[in-house]
């Protein structure tokens, strides 16, 4: 069996880098894409801003406290989409097996590539160079024999990184990899793993499969495989939509029941419009709530019938909300998503901890 050659390309500080490229006066300065106003949120931050602790999803107020000379720039989503298309044109020079993860990252399967280049690392190097010379942007790349390791490799030497994890080196590398660096392990999961004595790939590999599935459900099999360098997922050029969602960042924190219900109604209406536009139906409704202190929770419920209309969705959303204590914890953001389309067949759990949220443009109310 031919060993696969997978590349993961991740654009460095993509939105902020595009803004610095198009506005030379911002080069070398800390830049945040988003609104500087009181209720604003950072959508992306340049590496100069990250040195001060500024991160995406951070409130603008906190970002400015960390970096008083931070330059805020309004987001231009249409421009980012156009640049992303140009990046994909470069990818297609080498392979058509491209799986986009977002506007700024993708997997490429170059096992058999259009230019007959033997080493995947040489292809990754050429792609990085073309992006730099033609688009004046910087990308990081990870190369390995599966998606998990290629993704981890691309994160190792950012920015402008290029890292290869060879099969012969994989197990030793994984054994020393902090559990927080495993794809799909977020802060909550990492904390739970720490309580179980799991701190890196080696301690994860020592855990029996039945213990991991008992503690983490279906994701336990994924963690078990990853600890052994196993990931058979193919690079899928066509991604089947698994969910549709939307969220509203509120103008002010709210805790009064009537105000929360009104906002929930507006989010539900927006969600139904998106479902109608995409002709999507799913059996699971998920409520996302972010509180005033930026902590957040999700609550889900599944039904036997596909969800599509406001009449079906709003009552379920209210039921989920009834189990949320927001009177003592004012709400900053409300979101809803529909997932689990009926025609789905069982698949490995997604390597994220939330549904595929679709942010309402790049605006924060």
């Amino acid at each position: 069996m031919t060993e696969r050659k997978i590349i993961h390309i991740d654009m460095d500080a993509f939105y902020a880098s595009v803004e610095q490229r198009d506005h030379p006066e911002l080069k070398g300065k800390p830049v945040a894409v988003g609104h500087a106003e009181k209720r604003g949120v950072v959508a992306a931050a340049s590496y100069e801003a990250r040195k001060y602790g500024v991160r995406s999803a951070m409130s603008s107020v906190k970002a400015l406290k960390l970096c008083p000379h931070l330059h805020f720039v309004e987001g231009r989503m249409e421009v980012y989409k156009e640049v992303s298309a140009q990046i994909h044109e470069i990818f297609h020079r080498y392979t058509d097996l491209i799986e986009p993860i977002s506007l700024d990252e993708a997997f490429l399967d170059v096992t058999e590539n259009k230019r007959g280049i033997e080493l995947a690392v040489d292809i990754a190097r050429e792609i990085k160079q073309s992006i730099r010379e033609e688009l004046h942007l910087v990308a990081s790349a990870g190369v390995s024999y599966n998606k998990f390791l290629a993704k981890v490799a691309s994160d190792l030497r950012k920015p402008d990184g290029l890292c290869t994890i060879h099969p012969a080196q994989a197990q030793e590398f994984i054994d020393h990899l902090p559990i927080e660096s495993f794809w799909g392990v977020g802060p909550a999961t990492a904390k739970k793993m720490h309580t179980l004595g799991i701190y890196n790939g080696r301690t994860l590999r020592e855990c029996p499969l039945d213990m991991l599935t008992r503690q983490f459900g279906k994701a336990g099999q994924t963690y078990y495989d990853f600890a052994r360098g196993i990931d058979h997922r193919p690079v899928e050029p066509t991604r089947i939509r698994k969910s549709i969602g939307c969220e509203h960042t509120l103008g002010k924190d709210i805790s009064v029941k009537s105000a929360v219900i009104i906002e929930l109604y507006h989010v539900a209406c927006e969600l139904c419009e998106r479902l109608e536009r995409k002709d999507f139906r799913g059996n699971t409704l998920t409520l996302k709530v972010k509180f005033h202190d930026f902590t957040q929770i999700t609550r889900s419920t599944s039904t036997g019938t596909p969800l599509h209309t406001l009449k079906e969705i709003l009552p379920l959303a209210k039921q989920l909300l009834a189990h949320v204590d927001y009177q003592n914890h004012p709400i900053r953001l409300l979101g809803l998503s529909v997932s689990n389309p009926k025609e789905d067949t069982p698949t490995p759990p997604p390597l994220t901890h939330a549904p595929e949220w679709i942010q309402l443009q790049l605006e924060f109310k």
Side-chain angles (χ1 to χ4, degrees), residues 7 11 39 76 100 107-108 111 113 119 172 177 181 186 194 221 224 242 249 256 278 301 327 336 365:
I7 299 173
M11 300 301 298
R39 300 293 296 182
R76 300 179 295 157
F107 287 105
L108 289 70
T111 308
N113 59 85
L119 298 179
E172 182 180 0
L177 188 68
S181 298
H194 288 169
Q221 178 71 62
Y224 182 87
K242 297 293 184 180
T249 301
V256 178
K278 299 293 184 180
T301 184
Q327 293 183 338
L336 287 172
K365 298 179 180 179

Side-chain angles (χ1 to χ4, degrees), residues 78-355:
E78 290 306 313
V79 174
Y80 308 147
K81 289 180 180 178
E82 181 181 346
V83 175
S84 179
Q86 294 169 345
I87 294 168
H88 278 253
E89 287 178 5
I90 294 174
F91 295 163
H92 278 286
R93 298 172 190 173
Y94 300 89
T95 180
D96 292 325
L97 291 179
I98 302 166
E99 180 180 341
I101 305 302
S102 61
L103 288 180
D104 60 345
E105 66 174 310
F107 287 105
L108 289 70
D109 188 330
V110 296
T111 308
E112 296 181 5
N113 59 85
K114 296 178 180 179
R115 300 193 174 183
I117 299 174
E118 181 179 357
L119 298 179
V121 67
D122 290 337
I123 296 176
R125 188 176 289 111
E126 287 189 14
I127 289 174
K128 281 170 49 67
Q129 184 176 349
S130 295
I131 289 173
R132 181 186 294 275
E133 293 178 355
E134 298 174 28
L135 304 179
H136 308 291
L137 295 170
V138 176
S140 289
V143 180
S144 197
Y145 62 93
N146 64 36
K147 291 166 73 173
F148 162 57
L149 289 170
K151 166 67 174 174
V152 172
S154 70
D155 290 334
L156 284 179
R157 296 171 184 167
K158 281 179 160 288
D160 198 17
L162 175 58
C163 179
T164 300
I165 300 176
H166 296 281
Q169 304 167 336
Q171 193 58 66
E172 182 180 0
F173 172 84
I174 294 169
D175 283 352
H176 290 88
L177 188 68
I179 201 64
E180 293 84 356
S181 298
F182 272 67
W183 191 14
V185 176
T189 301
K191 184 177 180 180
K192 182 176 181 179
M193 286 190 172
H194 288 169
T195 64
L196 298 170
I198 303 171
Y199 295 95
N200 53 31
R202 181 183 61 78
T203 50
L204 177 62
R205 186 160 55 89
E206 292 171 351
C207 296
L209 176 58
D210 60 347
M211 176 270 209
L212 291 174
T213 53
R214 187 170 60 251
Q215 294 290 337
F216 303 102
K218 292 181 180 179
Q221 178 71 62
T222 301
Y223 301 144
Y224 182 87
D225 290 343
F226 281 2
R228 290 158 176 77
I230 300 170
D231 181 7
H232 297 304
R233 293 171 304 154
V235 172
E236 299 178 306
T238 302
R239 300 185 69 203
I240 300 173
R241 183 179 290 277
K242 297 293 184 180
S243 68
I244 285 183
C246 62
E247 56 189 42
H248 288 179
T249 301
L250 310 178
K252 62 179 181 179
D253 300 334
I254 57 175
S255 58
V256 178
K257 182 177 181 179
S258 58
V260 174
I261 294 297
I262 290 172
E263 291 295 343
L264 186 68
Y265 170 80
H266 290 312
V267 177
C269 287
E270 176 70 26
L271 175 60
C272 290
E273 290 177 6
R274 289 177 178 270
L275 293 171
E276 179 69 27
R277 195 158 58 241
K278 299 293 184 180
D279 192 24
F280 183 91
R281 288 167 175 76
N283 291 51
T284 299
L285 180 70
T286 299
L287 170 72
K288 175 181 177 180
V289 179
K290 182 179 289 185
F291 298 107
H292 66 104
D293 58 358
F294 281 81
T295 59
Q296 67 180 44
I297 60 170
T298 58
R299 297 288 184 267
S300 299
T301 184
S302 296
T303 68
T305 56
L307 301 170
H308 187 64
T309 67
L310 186 65
K311 183 179 178 180
E312 299 160 342
I313 290 172
L314 188 57
L316 288 176
K318 289 180 179 179
Q319 289 177 24
L320 293 173
L321 185 65
H323 298 286
V324 178
D325 177 18
Y326 54 82
Q327 293 183 338
N328 296 313
H329 302 87
I331 293 175
R332 176 185 178 87
L333 175 149
L334 279 173
L336 287 172
S337 75
V338 168
S339 60
N340 189 25
K342 189 175 182 180
E343 61 272 19
D344 271 5
T345 55
T347 57
L351 296 177
T352 58
H353 298 284

